[in-house]
Amino acid sequence: MRMYDIIEKKRDGGELTKDEISFVVKGVTDGSIPDYQISALLMGIFFRGMSEKETLELTLDMAHSGETADLSGIKGDVADKHSTGGVGDKTSLIAAPIAAALGVKIAKMSGRGLGHTGGTIDKLESIKGFSTTLSREAFINQVNNIGIAIIGQSKNLVPADKKLYALRDVTATVNSIGLIASSIMSKKLASGAKNIVLDVKTGSGAFMKKLPDSIALAEKMVKIGKGAGRNIVALITDMDKPLGNYIGNSLEIKEVIEVLKGGGPEDLKEESFAIAANMVSLAKGADPEEALTLVKGAVADGSAFEKFKEFVAAQGGDVSYIDNPEKFPQAKYASQIRAKKDGYISHMQTEDIGICASLLGAGRTKADDKIDFSAGIILNKKTGDFVKSGEVIATLYTNDESTLDSAERKFISAISYSETKPEKRNTVIKKVM
Ligand code: URA
C-alpha cells in the first residue's frame, strides 16, 4: 500500500477502506509516514470530509494506537463525561461526586487547561497536597472503594491523536468536524467507560461558535460512541458567557464547594445537575427525570459534598481547605472593573474573558507554562444583567501586578452594552442521543 495513492483517493473524494485507514494510523504512530504526506491527507479530509464508516474506523484505530485503560477490575457501572472546553467550566467536579454518591463508578482521566479554556487537573492541583497521578492498581482500588478517582491522562493515551493534532494545528486543519469528533472520541474510547455524557459547548467561548456546528459535532460523536458499543448522549450547552461566576483554578474549586453544599449560581447548577443526571440515567438505566430528582437529593442531603471530601482525601488533598475554603491563598493584587455606562450587558466575548484569566496567570499559552492557582476573575454581572455606570462588573486577581493592564483591557473590550435586555439563552440547549 502507498500513502501517495491514499492521498490521491481522498483528494478526489473517494472513501478510504478500513485497511487504508489502519495503514495511515499505524504510519502516523510509528513515524513511518512523513509529516508532509500526513498533512496532505489531512487537507484532503478537511475539504472532502469523511463518511460515517471512515470516521468510526479512524476513531477506533486511533483509540488503539497506544495504551488503553482496562476498567474490567471495577465492580459496577462506570460512567465518564467530557466537555469540549469552555470558560469557568467546573462541571466535572460537581457532576462526578454527585454521580458517585448515587452509586455510579467514576474512573476519569482529565486534561489540563490550554489557551482560553481551563482544565480539571489544574483545578484539582490547586488543592494543597492533591495528587493527580495514581498507579493503575491504586486508581482501580480507589474507584472500587469510594466510587470515584480522577487522574491526569496517561502520556501514551492515543499517540496517533497527539501527532495528528500537532500537524492539524500548524496546517489550518483543526476545524474539521470529522477530525475533531474522531480526536475527542478516540481519547474517550481509550479511557474505557461504558457510559459517556458529552458536553458540547456552543457560543463565543466554545471551540464551536455556531449552534449548527455544535449540533453536527455532537451528532457525529454520538454516532461514533454508539458504533463503538458505548451508551452515550450529548448535551449542547451555552458557552456564550462564562459558566458560573468564578474563573480560575482555586476560585473554581470554591464555586464547586458552594454548589455541592446547595448554593451557587443557577446556570452552573442547572448544567452540572443535567450532566450528573444523564450519567446516572445511562449507568443505572434510570429515567432521566427521576435521575434528576436523585441528583438534587444527593446535593440536598449532603451526600455529594461528603463524597467530594472523601475523594479529595483519598488523593492526598488537604480536606480542611474544602471545609474552610477561605484557607485557599488569595492573590496579592485585585482590580475592580466598573461599568462604563448604564444599561444591560448585551454580550460577553467569552473567549476573550478566558484569555484575560490566562493573562492574569490562571492558564497557559504554552503546554509547559506554570499556573498561578489563585489568579482569575470573579464576575458580579453577566449577560442580561442591568448595570449602573460605575458599578463593579468583575474583580480580576493575580500575583503578577504587571499583567493587570493588559488583562483589564482584554476584559473591558469583551463586554458589550445595550439599552434593551438581550434575549435569554438556555443553559442546556439540546440533547442529542
Ligand atoms: N479537542 C480535542 O481533543 N481534539 C480536537 O480536535 C479538538 C478539541
Side-chain angles (χ1 to χ4, degrees):
M1 203 174 285
R2 294 194 316 157
M3 186 63 179
Y4 180 96
D5 301 322
I6 294 174
I7 296 169
E8 185 177 52
K9 186 174 183 186
K10 186 42 77 182
R11 183 198 68 190
D12 296 341
E15 184 183 52
L16 303 183
T17 64
K18 184 173 173 6
D19 287 349
E20 284 165 338
I21 290 172
S22 297
F23 174 84
V24 171
V25 173
K26 186 173 168 303
V28 166
T29 311
D30 67 17
S32 60
I33 303 176
D35 289 359
Y36 50 83
Q37 284 190 309
I38 303 170
S39 302
L41 180 64
L42 288 170
M43 193 55 86
I45 293 174
F46 184 90
F47 281 113
R48 293 294 192 172
M50 287 187 287
S51 67
E52 214 172 283
K53 214 160 125 240
E54 282 176 304
T55 315
L56 179 60
E57 288 303 339
L58 176 65
T59 311
L60 292 174
D61 276 341
M62 292 213 310
H64 290 102
S65 64
E67 251 173 56
T68 52
D70 175 7
L71 305 183
S72 59
I74 295 174
K75 296 176 206 77
D77 307 302
V78 183
D80 196 357
K81 57 105 26 193
H82 177 83
S83 151
T84 56
V87 179
D89 179 9
K90 66 279 287 170
T91 53
S92 288
L93 294 174
I94 300 169
I98 295 176
L102 292 167
V104 178
K105 294 287 193 280
I106 308 291
K108 184 160 175 53
M109 287 190 222
S110 287
R112 295 187 183 278
L114 189 63
H116 75 283
T117 65
T120 299
I121 290 300
D122 297 322
K123 291 169 208 199
L124 284 170
E125 286 180 352
S126 75
I127 303 169
K128 190 171 165 226
F130 195 99
S131 168
T132 54
T133 20
L134 292 177
S135 70
R136 223 194 70 78
E137 197 188 353
F139 180 64
I140 300 289
N141 284 343
Q142 186 176 314
V143 178
N144 276 329
N145 291 337
I146 66 165
I148 173 170
I150 303 181
I151 55 171
Q153 262 170 18
S154 138
K155 287 209 169 46
N156 197 27
L157 195 84
V158 196
D161 178 61
K162 287 200 178 71
K163 176 80 194 186
L164 287 179
Y165 196 90
L167 287 176
R168 286 164 59 205
D169 209 19
V170 293
T171 56
T173 51
V174 167
N175 250 336
S176 145
I177 289 183
L179 289 174
I180 296 171
S182 54
S183 165
I184 293 174
M185 286 307 295
S186 62
K187 287 172 284 198
K188 277 297 107 182
L189 298 181
S191 303
K194 171 82 180 156
N195 305 289
I196 302 169
V197 177
L198 300 171
D199 176 9
V200 180
K201 309 280 188 197
T202 192
S204 60
F207 200 69
M208 291 286 153
K209 315 275 185 229
K210 297 199 176 81
L211 183 58
D213 290 344
S214 305
I215 294 173
L217 176 62
E219 285 173 347
K220 262 205 169 35
M221 292 198 290
V222 166
K223 276 204 180 112
I224 294 171
K226 287 186 175 164
R230 310 293 169 100
N231 300 323
I232 183 166
V233 297
L235 301 180
I236 312 282
T237 66
D238 183 37
M239 188 37 70
D240 209 40
K241 57 179 186 301
L243 187 57
N245 299 334
Y246 288 22
I247 304 161
N249 299 285
S250 60
L251 290 172
E252 292 192 37
I253 295 287
K254 288 185 182 180
E255 203 167 41
V256 165
I257 295 168
E258 268 182 39
V259 173
L260 289 174
K261 287 175 93 168
E266 281 309 314
D267 60 346
L268 178 60
K269 282 195 330 199
E270 183 188 337
E271 188 168 321
S272 306
F273 293 178
I275 293 168
N278 278 284
M279 291 167 91
V280 173
S281 167
L282 285 185
K284 298 278 177 198
D287 168 77
E289 283 305 312
E290 278 169 27
L292 186 59
T293 307
L294 292 173
V295 161
K296 289 179 179 166
V299 174
D301 69 12
S303 56
F305 182 59
E306 285 308 312
K307 187 54 74 183
F308 183 65
K309 291 206 306 187
E310 211 179 346
F311 153 64
V312 168
Q315 291 190 219
D318 184 342
V319 179
S320 71
Y321 281 67
I322 310 304
D323 282 322
N324 307 290
E326 65 284 353
K327 279 184 81 169
F328 280 101
Q330 166 114 26
K332 264 196 263 173
Y333 304 99
S335 166
Q336 291 184 322
I337 308 283
R338 293 174 186 278
K340 286 190 293 190
K341 50 182 154 187
D342 288 4
Y344 290 95
I345 296 185
S346 58
H347 189 240
M348 302 174 90
Q349 216 307 338
T350 305
E351 182 165 343
D352 283 348
I353 292 175
I355 293 171
C356 169
S358 189
L359 288 171
L360 292 163
R364 301 183 177 81
T365 41
K366 298 191 298 316
D368 56 355
D369 282 349
K370 226 175 137 29
I371 290 219
D372 173 356
F373 288 132
S374 54
I377 305 170
I378 293 185
L379 300 165
N380 295 2
K381 301 283 178 187
K382 297 212 303 189
T383 306
D385 289 338
F386 186 79
V387 289
K388 287 205 121 359
S389 176
E391 204 175 347
V392 176
I393 303 178
T395 307
L396 314 187
Y397 294 93
T398 184
N399 285 304
D400 179 356
E401 199 176 11
S402 72
T403 65
L404 278 176
D405 236 24
S406 55
E408 282 166 10
R409 267 185 277 118
K410 196 65 163 174
F411 190 92
I412 290 165
S413 70
I415 306 295
S416 308
Y417 300 86
S418 67
E419 284 176 8
T420 50
K421 197 171 165 69
E423 212 172 290
K424 190 170 165 2
R425 278 168 72 105
N426 289 337
T427 304
V428 179
I429 296 168
K430 188 177 163 73
K431 179 166 165 177
V432 175
M433 46 197 293

